Amino acid sequence: MGEFFKDIPQIKYEGKSSKNPLAFKFYNPDEVLHCGGLGKTMREQMKFALSWWHTMCGDGADMFGRGTADKGWGSASDEEKSKNKVLAAFEIMDKLGIDYFCFHDRDVSPDYATLAESNAKLDAAVAVIEEMQAKTGKKLLWGTANCFSHPRYMHGAGTSPSVDVYAFAGAQIKKALEITVKLGGNGYVFWGGREGYETLLNTDMGLELDNLARLMKMAVEYGRSIGFKGDFYVEPKPKEPTKHQYDFDSATVIGFLNKYGLDKDFKLNIEANHATLAMHTFQHELRVARENGMFGSIDANQGDTLLGWDTDQFPTNVYDCALCMYEVIKAGGFTNGGLNFDSKARRGSFKPEDIFYSYIAGMDAFALGLRIADKMITDGRIDSFTADRYAGWKQGLGKDIISGNAKLADLEKFALDKGEVFDSLTSGRQEYLENILNEIMFTL
Ligand code: XLS
Ligand code: NI
Ligand code: NI
């Protein structure tokens, strides 16, 4: 190792007084945080993952200009590049102390002339990953198939009007499941690339949604038959690349999974920037998933509230990270999921060392988030305020309603007896709570 990033040392925890830009200030991997009784090390609580597409492939190209970063990894051919990407990715993970990674099939190895050739070359690259995993103990958090980049997917994959394209997507998903199982992956993601529409004038929405569910069922059936024991995930996103993406937000996806009987095998992979695009907070999307028993994994990044697209920035907003980790702890922590940095350095941050500055920023922001969430829970003021607010549901009529023993007529009798209830209300105390959060955050 050390071949691609000779100038980058092993990144260590040096604490908050350090001024070393190539060190963690808040992420102390081996430190145990109580976290409401979960009591794991920071490393185990957060399960950071590297995203192959952004880190190993994304060169900063946008619709107004070519790439700025060199992601050729010194390779003379596509095959060599696939192999070098593996070596470079493992070097990055090693230097940052990241234990997991995530990929799309085509991040690992590109499309070749035929599906058979693409599969064979993908196998060769996967063999190198397998070898590196055996050497280092790094793990695959989740795999997925890229069924959106190739022009054949212009009208969608699982929602394409073309049976030919649908079959092609099925073939790609089958292969992606096989490599996920081969590499011991604990998750498989469906992000609805182009599963949506541009105009309803040409769209049979009912058939498209039924077909998408059919494809997911086939994936579950096949995945389980080859020994996949992990979670399938849907990653909600409201728009981009299509005008309307079917997997709009957590609530929409949960409705879809329930309708088609997929709720036992699927959970959600929540991405911060997608929440912003859906005009929700990140915490809202996580809360909806958690309350429905569907919290699975996280794509850690952040968007820009002034922009309407997926900027996939490395997360540095500590408020959002804290409220995210609060939801994760309340959900009982990660099981098969983790925090995948679906994030890219800005186009102007094009030097190799920017990869490390970016991950350090994201990991430290989430470390602060975890520390704050831990403290919010130990402090207890916010949780006990909320519990007290609903205390009425533990006794009398409230208890009867919850146990199903009250009818509308009982509610009427109660209201008539009681008279005006305005004076019994208590304040929601939003500002008081927000100030507690600030106090916890800034006295860490
Ligand atoms: C795109 C998505 C994508 C998924 C994986 O917006 O975030 O990167 O995470 O297909
Ligand atoms: Ni994502
Ligand atoms: Ni995204």
Side-chain angles (χ1 to χ4, degrees):
M1 297 221 184
E3 210 187 329
F4 294 93
F5 302 94
K6 287 198 183 70
D7 300 335
I8 305 290
Q10 195 73 31
I11 311 298
K12 300 208 183 75
Y13 170 68
E14 291 186 2
K16 57 186 170 189
S17 58
S18 167
K19 295 282 178 280
N20 177 1
L22 290 171
F24 297 117
K25 317 293 184 308
F26 307 104
Y27 177 56
N28 185 8
D30 300 320
E31 186 178 334
V32 175
L33 292 181
H34 181 258
C35 293
L38 296 179
K40 292 189 235 162
T41 61
M42 295 185 90
R43 189 180 198 131
E44 292 163 339
Q45 303 266 24
M46 292 194 282
K47 297 178 69 181
F48 289 128
L50 164 143
S51 67
W52 218 267
W53 53 103
H54 285 310
T55 309
M56 310 321 298
C57 311
D59 62 2
D62 66 16
M63 58 244 270
F64 299 100
R66 289 195 301 276
T68 53
D70 179 5
K71 295 285 173 84
W73 308 111
S75 323
S77 66
D78 281 346
E79 288 91 330
E80 199 194 345
K81 185 154 124 188
S82 294
K83 183 176 172 201
N84 285 345
K85 274 197 251 184
V86 179
L87 303 178
F90 276 78
E91 185 185 336
I92 296 170
M93 288 188 274
D94 176 55
K95 290 193 162 158
L96 287 161
I98 290 182
D99 298 325
Y100 297 86
F101 56 96
C102 300
F103 60 57
H104 303 80
D105 50 357
R106 297 296 178 254
D107 308 332
V108 172
S109 175
D111 266 306
Y112 289 90
T114 65
L115 181 61
E117 189 185 358
S118 300
N119 284 347
K121 301 251 165 84
L122 178 59
D123 282 337
V126 164
V128 187
I129 298 183
E130 207 180 3
E131 217 176 280
M132 291 304 289
Q133 280 187 290
K135 266 193 212 155
T136 62
K138 308 271 176 224
K139 300 189 232 2
L140 175 63
L141 189 70
W142 51 257
T144 188
N146 177 332
C147 297
F148 45 89
S149 291
H150 192 283
R152 80 173 73 85
Y153 295 121
M154 69 171 90
H155 301 307
T159 61
S160 174
S162 156
V163 178
D164 296 2
V165 171
Y166 187 94
F168 215 102
Q172 236 185 285
I173 292 168
K174 177 173 176 286
K175 182 71 186 170
L177 277 164
E178 288 162 9
I179 61 173
T180 298
V181 170
K182 191 169 174 40
L183 298 176
N186 280 326
Y188 186 87
V189 164
F190 278 81
W191 166 61
R194 293 181 196 272
E195 317 295 20
Y197 62 81
E198 295 299 330
T199 170
L200 287 173
L201 291 175
N202 65 14
T203 302
D204 183 342
M205 186 193 273
L207 179 65
E208 291 199 0
L209 287 167
D210 289 351
N211 282 346
L212 181 59
R214 288 181 182 114
L215 187 61
M216 288 170 151
K217 272 192 189 144
M218 288 185 224
V220 169
E221 191 188 41
Y222 183 68
R224 298 302 181 212
S225 81
I226 59 167
F228 178 65
K229 301 214 166 46
D231 291 318
F232 286 90
Y233 304 114
V234 175
E235 182 179 322
K237 187 175 183 182
K239 55 185 169 186
E240 195 205 34
T242 67
K243 165 200 168 77
H244 178 96
Q245 302 272 123
Y246 288 132
D247 301 327
F248 198 91
D249 60 2
S250 291
T252 310
V253 171
I254 290 167
F256 173 90
L257 294 173
N258 286 337
K259 172 176 175 187
Y260 292 102
L262 290 160
D263 50 306
K264 298 285 167 296
D265 293 285
F266 276 85
K267 291 196 166 89
L268 302 189
N269 180 41
I270 310 280
E271 177 166 322
N273 203 157
H274 298 179
T276 307
L277 295 180
M279 309 251 261
H280 298 310
T281 61
F282 186 20
Q283 189 187 13
H284 168 91
E285 286 294 84
L286 292 162
R287 179 71 64 93
V288 171
R290 165 161 87 81
E291 293 290 359
N292 286 280
M294 291 269 183
F295 168 71
S297 201
I298 287 177
D299 268 9
N301 62 16
Q302 75 185 27
D304 187 319
T305 47
L306 301 181
L307 299 177
W309 64 93
D310 206 12
T311 56
D312 287 346
Q313 290 162 240
F314 271 87
T316 50
N317 181 324
V318 178
Y319 272 99
D320 283 347
C321 297
L323 295 172
C324 166
M325 291 318 293
Y326 175 82
E327 294 299 325
V328 173
I329 295 170
K330 291 284 179 181
F334 290 115
T335 46
N336 287 324
L339 278 170
N340 167 46
F341 283 107
D342 191 351
S343 314
K344 56 184 176 197
R346 298 301 80 198
R347 189 165 190 269
S349 306
F350 69 108
K351 296 284 193 184
E353 59 271 25
D354 284 310
I355 294 177
F356 291 87
Y357 293 139
S358 307
Y359 272 93
I360 291 168
M363 291 163 81
D364 261 346
F366 264 93
L368 276 168
L370 183 68
R371 289 178 187 281
I372 293 160
D374 176 41
K375 213 174 149 196
M376 281 168 75
I377 290 168
T378 326
D379 175 275
R381 277 176 291 170
I382 294 175
D383 282 346
S384 67
F385 180 86
T386 308
D388 288 349
R389 202 165 170 234
Y390 297 89
W393 296 88
K394 297 233 160 67
Q395 71 234 338
L397 180 64
K399 204 172 165 193
D400 290 347
I401 294 170
I402 285 183
S403 58
N405 291 326
K407 304 216 176 322
L408 265 192
D410 300 316
L411 270 55
E412 184 193 42
K413 182 173 182 312
F414 182 91
L416 287 171
D417 291 350
K418 196 118 196 183
E420 181 48 55
V421 294
F422 178 84
D423 286 342
S424 68
L425 292 181
T426 55
S427 167
R429 295 245 168 97
Q430 181 173 337
E431 301 75 8
Y432 157 91
L433 294 166
E434 286 168 346
N435 201 27
I436 293 180
L437 180 55
N438 276 348
E439 177 208 311
I440 290 172
M441 282 187 72
F442 294 102
T443 55
L444 250 199

